[in-house]
Amino acid sequence: MELNDARTRPAHPHLPPPRAPFHLTTWVTAPRPEAAPGIYRQHHTPHDPKAAEQATTPAGPLLLRAALNLLAAWLVFIYGRGLALSGLGLLGLGSLSEIPTILVALAVNLLIIVGVIRVFGYMGRWREVGRRFLLPLLSHTVTEVPPAPEAAPVVDVWAELRPVGEAVRRLEGEPVGDVDYVRLHQAWRTVGSDPAAWQEFAAQVAARGGAACAHPSEQRDLPGGRAARHDLLVRQVRLGTAQDVPKNPVAHRNAGFALDPRVLGTSLLAVGPAGTGKTAALARPVAEALCLQALAGAACAVVVGASDADLGPDDWYDVVIAPGDPAAPYGLDLYGAAPHSDEAAARLADALLPDELAPRAESARAAMQQVVGPYRAAYGRYPGVRALRALLAGDAEGWAELGEQVRKSGRWAEFEADLQQRERMHGRADDPGALLADRLALLDRPALAAGFSGGPDAKPAFAMRALEHPLRVRVKLPERSHPEAARILSRLLLGQFTQAAADRRDRELFAGMVLDDATAAVDAQAIRGIQRLRGANAGVVLLLRTLSDLPEALRAPLFGAVGNRMAFPGIAPWDGRLFSEAWGTHLVRETAVTHVPDTSGGTVRRAGRLVRKALSGTTAQTESVTTRDVERHRWSPSDLAHALPSGHAVVSLTSVTGEQVPPLLVDLRH
């Protein structure tokens, strides 16, 4: 059974949970200036490059220089004014009447003041002193009076929906959350010029108000509240703050750090040992963001992790798959509802084989295809785990029945060669079918059997082809009770996701996958699939404890396949080396100071140096300063392994349009 949407879940209307008061007009009209990828745009203040460059001057020398220039300006004004008036007196100023004399004196004073301020204010950088020290002081001492509510600008937040007519008036009279606002506008844009769709949308708004066009689950927000800060209008989730350090680009310093689909569309790889916050600071907020965007009709989410991983409560999701848990409502289609049997068989064969058996992958795919194709032709469906295992192992009774059914279907000529080839391989030492049957035995366990398609007791099966709907899917892997089965399922899910996301006809929804532990899921096929996601409005977030768990041949290709790379504290130096090489080098101005004994001068100076050495015990030296630009790693392996503070991470970003952000040091706690 293929599950195409979430309509099989019971509908329970859910109002937004209580949290900080939400004011729709304030949220919609909040400033969101254009910014580089990774910057949280809501209320962001872009950096002034000139001011940022000037701000690098230490406060002490800056204030001292300003004070000295102020003293010099006062002296120049006093004496310059006297000299100027004396000179004018010699030219006949004293012969004028009283009023012209006063006017001329005022003009002279004004000219001198303007000249002094321009010259000494520039040299003393008075404007920077005022900006850095006086304005903040005044802002603390002057009370800012907020404008009266009636004086606030009136903004029509429903202007885009006004063509619907009087139905929009209902939205003005009831509380509407950010999920509702984004969902209604998303639905309105899909209406287009279709009159029937337009009328249906208007009827829904008139009848249900803010609950119109709701997600099939009828939820209007996530149960239990939100842990992260979201801005659904630009689809961002805030994860932390970029630090004000020289290694960070000036535009990102002290700015909020956020992820959105234009960044996640190039996929993200995060590496860090257990306990460094990968799940809490990255996987859970991203899963939360994807679930919220699914409720708004803009995304679909597949979140995969161990059953005890904190990736949000089950109420966040429409489909919860937990192999080994009898209470789990859904199972998993091992074939992903693939339209072509060869594609489905190849994907399953790749998932079954561990890394050490990768050389036998081609023969294993062929063996799987020689069974799955004829079975589907004979019975009109894919085989279940138990039936597939028996056929791969060469069960005589099963083979006889399969051959008879293929003949009855009228497709014997099409599959005769496959069936005969598979039958010849039965019992041979190099038969890949026996290997696949042994691997399938890991899934054909009593506790797991009901979780997969096929069999009378099978649960409704989720198929990855359902990614064209705003679904929220949580897969709980049985890592403790069946660790090898969990690894097989991890590989299978990643392979199915990359294939299904790339093959979607309608790519309007962003398809996101969060894989909490991707160690077993990454193989050569998965890496090629990840590369195809950039143009498919889809992306994956892969979390690894260490790159050493991957075969060495896969590490560099994986780094090349993802556009975003994130290093957490405590990674091994050999892991840091890959990050350091991927992030490259930049030019750094390096100053070298050399001291050599002073041998200059004549007899008198030399005698003086000898006396000084005898009295102080030190040798007079000359100082030589050399400045040059040298290439240095943006982040060295040693820095990544030993210098990252707890609660921080270094992350580089690439957007789907090719914009790149060099590695940022981010505090994930704020």
Side-chain angles (χ1 to χ4, degrees):
M1 171 182 176
E2 179 181 356
L3 184 65
N4 286 328
D5 55 33
R7 291 178 175 82
T8 56
R9 287 198 62 167
H12 296 293
H14 182 82
L15 295 177
R19 57 177 186 270
F22 177 80
H23 189 259
L24 181 64
T25 303
T26 303
W27 175 73
V28 172
T29 58
R32 294 174 176 88
E34 290 295 328
I39 292 179
Y40 190 69
R41 290 171 52 187
Q42 188 177 146
H43 297 294
H44 170 64
T45 303
H47 278 265
D48 181 358
K50 186 175 181 180
E53 182 180 354
Q54 292 175 342
T56 58
T57 304
L62 181 65
L63 293 174
L64 178 61
R65 183 184 300 173
L68 292 175
N69 277 273
L70 180 61
L71 177 62
W74 174 254
L75 294 175
V76 169
F77 171 72
I78 294 297
Y79 290 105
R81 173 177 174 275
L83 289 174
L85 293 177
S86 299
L88 291 175
L90 294 175
L91 295 175
L93 179 64
S95 62
L96 299 176
S97 60
E98 182 178 357
I99 293 178
T101 301
I102 294 175
L103 292 177
V104 171
L106 289 175
V108 169
N109 288 336
L110 182 62
L111 288 174
I112 294 176
I113 289 173
V114 170
V116 165
I117 290 177
R118 287 182 62 86
V119 174
F120 291 98
Y122 176 78
M123 293 191 299
R125 297 166 76 167
W126 293 350
R127 180 176 297 180
E128 183 179 352
V129 170
R131 178 181 57 81
R132 290 178 58 179
F133 302 103
L134 296 182
L135 288 181
L137 182 62
L138 290 174
S139 66
H140 287 293
T141 57
V142 177
T143 302
E144 192 173 305
V145 180
E150 58 272 11
V154 178
V155 178
D156 184 6
V157 297
W158 301 109
E160 188 177 344
L161 271 58
R162 289 298 173 189
V164 175
E166 292 297 318
V168 179
R169 291 188 176 275
R170 173 164 179 176
L171 299 174
E172 299 173 347
E174 64 178 75
V176 177
D178 54 354
V179 174
D180 299 329
Y181 184 86
V182 174
R183 186 189 66 252
L184 289 171
H185 282 77
Q186 182 83 8
W188 172 246
R189 295 184 190 108
T190 61
V191 167
S193 57
D194 185 356
W198 186 92
Q199 292 178 3
E200 182 182 354
F201 179 81
Q204 280 246 14
V205 173
R208 306 190 65 192
C213 306
H215 186 268
S217 67
E218 291 294 334
Q219 290 182 356
R220 297 170 62 185
D221 207 336
L222 293 180
R226 310 175 187 180
R229 183 177 171 186
H230 302 267
D231 185 8
L232 288 177
L233 204 60
V234 289
R235 302 170 68 181
Q236 287 188 317
V237 54
R238 191 180 189 279
L239 301 183
T241 304
Q243 296 298 279
D244 186 6
V245 294
K247 283 181 177 288
N248 283 354
V250 173
H252 286 77
R253 294 176 190 172
N254 288 326
F257 174 73
L259 296 177
D260 55 51
R262 69 167 174 163
V263 171
L264 293 176
T266 62
S267 298
L268 186 149
L269 172 67
V271 181
T276 53
K278 299 190 303 301
T279 300
L282 175 63
R284 182 184 167 110
V286 172
E288 184 176 281
L290 292 174
C291 289
L292 281 171
Q293 293 172 30
L295 291 179
C300 51
V302 180
V303 180
V304 182
S307 57
D308 57 349
D310 183 14
L311 296 170
D314 290 352
D315 289 343
W316 280 12
Y317 300 96
D318 307 303
V319 177
V320 177
I321 304 167
D325 182 1
Y330 293 101
L332 177 67
D333 187 339
L334 295 180
Y335 304 95
H340 304 294
S341 57
D342 283 354
E343 173 192 323
R347 192 68 56 195
L348 180 56
D350 289 338
L352 288 172
L353 295 185
D355 297 328
E356 57 269 19
L357 296 178
R360 301 188 64 181
E362 286 297 333
S363 60
R365 291 190 201 104
M368 185 71 77
Q369 290 165 348
Q370 289 164 0
V371 172
V372 173
Y375 191 97
R376 191 184 185 202
Y379 296 98
R381 56 181 172 82
Y382 288 114
V385 173
R386 188 153 298 174
L388 180 60
R389 179 188 174 191
L391 290 172
L392 287 169
D395 178 65
E397 184 177 343
W399 267 106
E401 182 181 347
L402 177 60
E404 182 180 350
Q405 292 295 328
V406 172
R407 286 188 176 90
K408 288 181 180 180
S409 69
R411 303 180 66 179
W412 174 259
E414 181 181 350
F415 293 103
E416 180 182 7
D418 283 346
L419 291 170
Q420 290 178 352
Q421 174 64 20
R422 183 89 291 278
E423 196 167 1
R424 282 195 298 268
M425 293 296 294
H426 289 162
R428 292 178 50 173
D430 59 345
D431 179 16
L435 172 62
L436 291 172
D438 290 341
R439 299 292 296 172
L440 274 171
L442 297 169
L443 301 180
D444 188 19
R445 302 295 306 154
L448 303 177
F452 305 120
S453 58
D457 300 328
K459 301 175 182 179
F462 164 75
M464 201 65 75
R465 289 285 171 180
L467 292 181
E468 294 182 354
H469 305 275
L471 274 174
R472 302 167 296 164
V473 182
R474 170 73 164 101
V475 182
K476 298 183 175 181
L477 300 177
E479 290 191 352
R480 293 191 177 183
S481 56
H482 300 84
E484 193 58 34
R487 291 197 264 288
I488 292 173
L489 294 174
S490 178
R491 283 193 294 270
L492 180 63
L493 288 164
L494 180 57
Q496 287 185 353
F497 177 86
T498 56
Q499 186 69 40
D503 290 347
R504 291 181 300 168
R505 294 185 300 273
D506 183 4
R507 296 180 176 178
E508 183 68 23
L509 297 178
F510 176 78
M513 183 181 200
V514 178
L515 195 51
D516 189 51
D517 184 2
T519 302
V522 177
D523 56 18
Q525 294 291 336
I527 291 174
R528 284 191 285 269
I530 291 171
Q531 291 173 329
R532 292 196 297 267
L533 295 180
R534 292 197 182 197
N537 195 24
V540 297
V541 177
L542 305 175
L543 277 62
L544 293 174
R545 292 187 179 91
T546 174
L547 292 166
S548 300
D549 290 340
L550 300 180
E552 188 171 357
L554 296 179
R555 298 172 194 171
L558 177 60
F559 261 71
V562 299
N564 311 295
R565 306 171 184 97
M566 197 167 185
F568 282 78
I571 64 172
W574 43 89
D575 288 347
R577 179 179 56 81
L578 286 172
F579 280 98
S580 183
E581 291 175 355
W583 288 333
T585 60
H586 64 149
L587 290 177
V588 177
R589 178 152 294 183
E590 188 178 82
T591 301
V593 180
T594 305
H595 295 88
V596 296
D598 186 4
T599 58
S600 62
T603 304
V604 176
R605 291 189 62 183
R606 292 179 181 178
R609 287 196 294 270
L610 289 174
V611 173
R612 174 185 171 183
K613 182 177 181 180
L615 294 175
S616 64
T618 59
T619 302
Q621 294 181 330
T622 60
E623 183 178 273
S624 175
V625 180
T626 304
T627 303
R628 59 175 182 171
D629 290 335
V630 296
E631 282 194 358
R632 290 285 184 268
H633 283 291
R634 297 181 185 273
W635 283 86
S636 69
S638 178
D639 288 341
L640 293 172
H642 306 296
L644 282 188
S646 175
H648 292 65
V650 179
V651 56
S652 64
L653 303 174
T654 303
S655 72
V656 291
T657 57
E659 298 175 85
Q660 293 188 339
V661 177
L664 305 169
L665 177 63
V666 178
D667 186 350
L668 299 173
R669 301 168 300 181
H670 303 94

